[in-house]
Amino acid sequence: VAGVHRRIQAGSDQVDGSAAEMKYGLIAGNGRFPLLALENARRLGHEVVVLAIQEEASPEVERLAARCHWLSLGQLSRLIEILKEEGITEVVMAGQVKHAKIFSSIRPDWRLIKLLASLPSKNTDGLIGGVAKVLADEGIQLRDSTALLKPLLADCGAMTRRKPDAREEADIAYGRRVAAALAGFDVGQSVAICERACVALEAMEGTDALLRRAASLANGRPLTLVKVSNRRRHLLFDVPVAGLDTIAVMRETGTTAMAVDAGRTLLLDREEMLARADEAGIAVVGQAPDV
């Protein structure tokens, strides 16, 4: 996603071609998101410097980056040093950092220790919001993480051949109310619903583990997955993502439908993902996010 040539202006999504001469940074976590972003940036001719998180990022990012610097989760000072050495003033976060690793693997440097001590709560909003402020104080702006991947955002309405049936529609309506409340606490983004009952809530374990846990409780009854975005107005970080693995686990766990926030959820490998959903008879639908 780095290499963004958009100027983020109030109420504007217009492309500013002059920004193509600038250099951008991408903080890479795990998964396909950083790779797709880098591939798209390369197609558009942008120079991208990757700051790859050792505990998360794939070595493949090196092949697609103009330059790649590896650093650990807790090295906030080093992150800033690299960005300044590279002359980067705009940076994007792409890819997941598992919440559990933030608490179990992180070795914070002095700058991050100071930041953590100042946070009223150590959830994702608090932590990444704090990092964004530290970067801004150093003249570095965090930008929309989906800026170069707009075609992969979910549409409104059914995106698969099969639409949700009446049972699934009822589960989705109920699940969206529960998931919206969950996202408001910045705990997780997904819920598993069965017969208008919430079987499992997502926390640090991620969507795949959520579905497997829900299947162990549902006793063979079909599940519906509801995934929503945090109710913040920006998409700087923690963007909901679904992909090929999501469909594979849905098939494994008897999850027959998935509802996501349209325009705020990335569908990685979108065409193949939806084709596999069609093969499995899974309904995938985008709904206008509640604000």
Side-chain angles (χ1 to χ4, degrees):
V1 178
V4 179
H5 62 307
R6 291 179 187 274
R7 294 293 188 185
I8 308 298
Q9 299 173 343
S12 173
D13 244 18
Q14 294 183 347
V15 172
D16 180 355
S18 65
E21 298 177 359
M22 295 177 62
K23 208 182 325 182
Y24 296 84
L26 181 141
I27 301 171
N30 67 43
R32 290 278 296 148
F33 189 174
L35 300 175
L36 291 171
L38 287 166
E39 287 168 357
N40 204 33
R42 174 173 282 190
R43 281 195 294 271
L44 293 173
H46 298 307
E47 182 179 2
V48 182
V49 176
V50 172
L51 300 100
I53 298 173
Q54 289 173 355
E55 297 87 348
E56 297 286 356
S58 165
E60 288 185 70
V61 297
E62 293 186 344
R63 176 178 57 85
L64 297 167
R67 283 172 302 288
C68 182
H69 302 269
W70 290 88
L71 67 164
S72 187
L73 265 175
Q75 294 181 288
L76 182 55
S77 294
R78 181 60 184 145
L79 172 69
I80 292 169
E81 286 173 8
I82 294 169
L83 292 172
K84 288 192 170 184
E85 288 167 3
E86 290 281 1
I88 292 169
T89 58
E90 297 189 12
V91 66
V92 175
M93 293 182 175
Q96 183 190 41
V97 174
K98 293 185 176 67
H99 291 195
K101 282 192 179 179
I102 293 175
F103 295 96
S104 64
S105 304
I106 195 169
R107 294 184 178 180
D109 62 17
W110 70 268
R111 196 189 294 261
L112 187 55
I113 289 172
K114 182 179 177 181
L115 170 61
L116 290 171
S118 71
L119 298 177
S121 60
K122 293 180 178 63
N123 56 17
T124 306
D125 261 2
L127 182 58
I128 305 300
V131 170
K133 184 179 185 305
V134 170
L135 292 177
D137 290 343
E138 297 290 340
I140 301 163
Q141 297 300 312
L142 196 59
R143 296 304 189 194
D144 181 350
S145 62
T146 67
L148 286 186
L149 294 175
K150 299 297 184 188
L152 297 184
L153 290 173
D155 301 324
C156 256
M159 291 172 278
T160 47
R161 287 196 297 266
R162 187 176 76 78
K163 297 180 181 180
D165 60 24
R167 173 190 61 79
E168 293 162 338
E169 288 281 10
D171 281 354
I172 288 168
Y174 173 69
R176 282 180 63 81
R177 295 199 302 274
V178 177
L182 182 68
F185 285 103
D186 192 31
V187 175
Q189 299 171 319
S190 303
V191 296
I193 306 297
C194 178
E195 298 175 6
R196 285 170 290 173
C198 184
V199 181
L201 305 171
E202 181 184 25
M204 290 186 180
E205 76 275 36
T207 304
D208 293 353
L210 161 78
L211 288 177
R212 291 186 174 113
R213 178 159 50 87
S216 72
L217 299 169
N219 295 320
R221 290 173 295 175
L223 297 166
T224 296
L225 173 64
V226 178
K227 184 181 284 285
V228 302
S229 57
N230 193 295
R231 289 307 176 250
R232 64 175 84 90
R233 291 185 176 275
H234 63 73
L235 293 173
L236 297 179
F237 56 86
D238 212 18
V239 179
V241 172
L244 298 176
D245 289 347
T246 311
I247 299 301
V249 176
M250 288 178 69
R251 193 169 192 166
E252 169 196 328
T253 56
T255 306
T256 60
M258 173 170 61
V260 299
D261 276 358
R264 296 180 67 86
T265 305
L266 282 169
L267 305 182
L268 303 186
D269 301 298
R270 177 184 167 124
E271 290 185 10
E272 186 176 355
M273 173 194 160
L274 294 176
R276 291 192 187 182
D278 282 333
E279 289 173 6
I282 292 170
V284 179
V285 63
Q287 298 200 333
D290 300 323
V291 293

